[in-house]
Amino acid sequence: KPAILRRIRAFGELSNDDLAEVVRYGELIQLSAFQTIMRANSASDAVYFIIEGQVRQRILVREREVLIAVKEAGASFGYISLFDGGPHITDAVSDSPVILFRVPTARLRELCNARPEIGVPLLFSLGRSLAGRIRSDDRHLYELMDHKQGRT
């Protein structure tokens, strides 16, 4: 069972023994396509890692879907709340049948406290993903503003 987690980028720096420990803190979830996994503005209670399938993150604006991201196997989502305790920002919906590894936030904190040699690399990996998203969003905002300024 721990070998299945090898597909997850956030666990890339962990040994097989570390992965065996991580398995104890979460659960595998299988969902069919088009299932809501989490809702925007709901309390965050877990971080999700995609083992198989595809998940769409979206927001609804005036009852219209705005696509934020499409996550594939190996990616993770729901982790921003791990850092700030806030509610989810997006909905997450399975676009295909998915297998997820779900780790409750409280259990992830327990793991980090009990086994910092596992928790620290995991948190740094999630932090790198978050930083990449912030950089991408900043770049898009700059391009949007630059384009808008060029029109006036």
Side-chain angles (χ1 to χ4, degrees), residues 30-35 37 50 52-56 70-73 93-100:
Q30 294 185 358
L31 298 170
S32 58
F34 312 114
Q35 299 296 306
I37 301 161
I50 305 171
E52 289 182 16
Q54 184 174 302
V55 173
R56 170 175 28 110
V70 175
K71 303 279 181 120
E72 304 280 346
V93 178
S94 57
D95 272 348
S96 65
V98 294
I99 299 175
L100 304 172

Side-chain angles (χ1 to χ4, degrees), residues 1-6 16 19-21 23:
K1 191 174 176 180
I4 200 167
L5 297 184
R6 184 61 59 204
N16 289 337
L19 289 176
E21 183 71 13
V23 164

Side-chain angles (χ1 to χ4, degrees), residues 39-116:
R39 292 197 184 279
N41 300 315
S42 66
S44 174
D45 64 346
V47 177
Y48 298 88
F49 302 91
I50 305 171
I51 294 172
E52 289 182 16
Q54 184 174 302
V55 173
R56 170 175 28 110
Q57 289 185 274
R58 68 177 186 191
I59 58 173
L60 297 176
V61 177
R62 296 186 195 115
E63 299 184 29
R64 296 180 104 174
E65 180 176 311
V66 176
L67 181 65
I68 300 299
V70 175
K71 303 279 181 120
E72 304 280 346
S76 52
F77 62 95
Y79 55 84
I80 292 175
S81 300
L82 175 68
F83 295 103
D84 70 1
H88 291 298
I89 297 169
T90 66
D91 294 338
V93 178
S94 57
D95 272 348
S96 65
V98 294
I99 299 175
L100 304 172
F101 182 62
R102 179 185 180 276
V103 182
T105 305
R107 295 284 289 153
L108 190 53
R109 286 192 177 111
E110 287 175 26
L111 173 64
C112 291
N113 288 328
R115 300 288 306 274

